[in-house]
Amino acid sequence: MPQQVTVTEHLLLHQKRIPGATGQFTRLFNEIVLSAKIINREVNKAGLVDVLGFTGKTNVQGEEVKKLDEYANRILIHRLARSGVLCAMASEENADIIEVPHGLPLGDYVCIFDPLDGSSNIDVNVNIGTIFSIFKRVSPEDSHLLSTDVLQAGLHQVAAGYVLYGTSTMLVFTTGDGVHGFTLDPGVGEFLLSHPNIRIPEQGRVYSVNEGYSSYWDEPTKEILEYFKSTDNNRRKPYSGRYIGSLVADFHRNLIYGGIFMYPADNRDPKKPEGKLRLTCEANPMAFIVEQAGGMAVDGRNRILELEVENLHQRTPLFIGSREDVLKVREIYREHDAKG
Ligand code: P6P
């Protein structure tokens, strides 16, 4: 009988190893876990009740908001605000920093999240996910919150993770001590440890990118795609193309099998020259996870986790996955830069 370790037990074991741990982090994480279970319940019955479709609103990204997007956002904000351990939140769905409502207890943590990533797939029953990134505030505890408490480089994350709603619902996260995967047992209502110490293969066999935009890419990106599709690469055969259009699902597959996910800069939209993905609630958390699993994440030239965060919704190109594959991306960009 495999040892059934719940995510809470796992966190408590982790907490015991941290001198001076107050239990605040475990409290915060338990609220994320509860939010995931509530969102999972709605996602799983989406086809049966009136939560499919659009709300008729657009978010700060200019994207149409789905009913489940709005629902997931509401659940996370409500639960996290009452955790008593946050001083601020930020959501992909909200233009500004979300302060903890007056009168509720404050804490030292900041949580940034994408409540339901991949929501364009909701109505066709394709995997979607929740992504979260956790920091400790940098300003003194009894001072006013500063934007620098929220706009921190990814290197300073204390935890990051995602929930993947699919054939089974998984919670995958790191607290800087490796990457661990938990699968929801709906019969028990608990996330149970199913993938301890996940390591991404050094070299992958899959590339994930939306090739429909190839005519908008820069030259290095075009050369990168030719490399992965050619027989003249490290594998001596083409990588398989796999792209579902949901970052959490594409990332998770490549994390387990090995591979590279790419959302390059493109010149389709002058308002988004850096591509579509957001640094704070998508690239940074995924980069922390992949590095903890032995992989890499760059914007083409620079390590994602070292990028300066200037605004909440800034975007970045993202090349993330198996170390050898991402190193190749950086090598091609450097060769182009050297040619000038
Ligand atoms: P495209 C979903 O909207 C998302 O933010 C990511 O989950 C996904 O990787 C990407 O956009 C897909 O974008 O332009 O290929 O449809």
Side-chain angles (χ1 to χ4, degrees), residues 82-204:
R82 280 150 188 77
S83 67
V85 296
L86 281 188
C87 56
M89 292 174 257
S91 168
E92 189 249 7
E93 295 292 339
N94 295 59
D96 304 310
I97 292 171
I98 306 162
E99 295 206 27
V100 174
H102 185 66
L104 288 174
L106 295 176
D108 303 331
Y109 288 97
V110 175
C111 187
I112 304 174
F113 51 85
D114 184 348
L116 210 55
D117 181 77
S119 53
S120 56
N121 292 301
I122 290 175
D123 295 359
V124 290
N125 204 21
V126 167
N127 295 89
I128 50 183
T130 297
I131 309 171
F132 58 90
S133 167
I134 301 173
F135 295 89
K136 287 209 83 167
R137 73 180 294 175
V138 289
S139 60
E141 192 178 304
D142 51 0
S143 66
H144 287 295
L145 183 78
L146 302 174
S147 60
T148 45
D149 285 312
V150 180
L151 305 180
Q152 299 186 48
L155 263 182
H156 302 304
Q157 291 174 97
V158 295
Y162 58 83
V163 184
L164 177 60
Y165 306 102
T167 43
S168 63
T169 292
M170 278 196 72
L171 167 63
V172 177
F173 69 88
T174 182
T175 56
D177 185 24
V179 178
H180 308 287
F182 297 77
T183 300
L184 182 64
D185 178 337
V188 177
E190 282 286 0
F191 281 100
L192 302 178
L193 183 61
S194 54
H195 298 68
N197 296 309
I198 297 173
R199 302 294 292 171
I200 187 169
E202 276 284 298
Q203 181 183 297

Side-chain angles (χ1 to χ4, degrees), residues 21 23 47 76 104-105 111 118 219 240 247 258 263 298:
L76 275 159
L104 288 174
C111 187
E219 285 312 308
S240 294
L247 170 62
Y263 207 107
V298 298

Side-chain angles (χ1 to χ4, degrees), residues 117-118 210 213 243 245-247 261 263 276-278 282:
D117 181 77
N210 187 334
Y213 306 144
Y243 190 76
S246 182
L247 170 62
F261 172 92
Y263 207 107
K276 177 181 184 183
L277 298 189
R278 276 67 54 157
E282 290 171 317

Side-chain angles (χ1 to χ4, degrees), residues 61 63 92 276-283 314-315:
Q61 318 291 343
E63 295 163 344
E92 189 249 7
K276 177 181 184 183
L277 298 189
R278 276 67 54 157
L279 176 58
T280 56
C281 62
E282 290 171 317
Q314 81 186 61
R315 300 172 193 269

